[in-house]
């Protein structure tokens, strides 16, 4: 599969997810998490997807991305606030 094929597949998943397909959204979240795509997870999280938010917090924690955790915590996410507190206490 070429990079172009992968991009086309991702674009189709985004289109289906944006149209309300739960299956496409789940697959997109899984792919984004596997690829470490914080931007895609952030986009899905910001649209209200709790699973994407959980994956975003997990990835940001793994990458010690304090800015992303702080952004989520400032938005009221308790889990992000707890992770941020835990990382800054180390």
């Amino acid at each position: 599969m070429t990079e172009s094929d992968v991009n086309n597949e991702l674009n189709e998943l985004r289109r289906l997810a944006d149209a309300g397909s739960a299956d496409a959204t789940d697959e997109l979240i899984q792919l984004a998490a596997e690829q470490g795509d914080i931007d895609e997870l952030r986009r899905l999280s910001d649209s209200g997807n709790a699973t994407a938010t959980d994956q975003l917090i997990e990835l940001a924690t793994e990458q010690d991305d304090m800015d992303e955790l702080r952004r989520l915590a400032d938005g009221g996410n308790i889990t992000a606030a707890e992770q941020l507190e835990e990382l800054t206490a180390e």
Side-chain angles (χ1 to χ4, degrees), residues 7 25 56 61 63 70:
N7 286 335
T25 302
L56 180 58
T61 300
Q63 295 180 356
R70 193 169 294 110

Side-chain angles (χ1 to χ4, degrees), residues 53-86:
T53 302
D54 292 343
Q55 289 296 314
L56 180 58
I57 291 168
E58 186 176 316
L59 188 59
T61 300
E62 289 172 5
Q63 295 180 356
D64 291 332
D65 188 340
M66 304 296 187
D67 291 336
E68 187 62 32
L69 290 171
R70 193 169 294 110
R71 183 185 79 82
L72 291 165
D74 289 348
N77 187 290
I78 303 297
T79 305
E82 291 170 351
Q83 290 293 348
L84 186 60
E85 184 177 327
E86 197 173 296

Side-chain angles (χ1 to χ4, degrees), residues 14 17-18 28 38-48:
R14 282 185 197 108
D18 290 346
L28 191 55
I38 281 190
D39 291 333
E40 187 67 41
L41 289 172
R42 183 183 305 121
R43 184 184 79 80
L44 293 164
S45 172
D46 288 350
S47 71

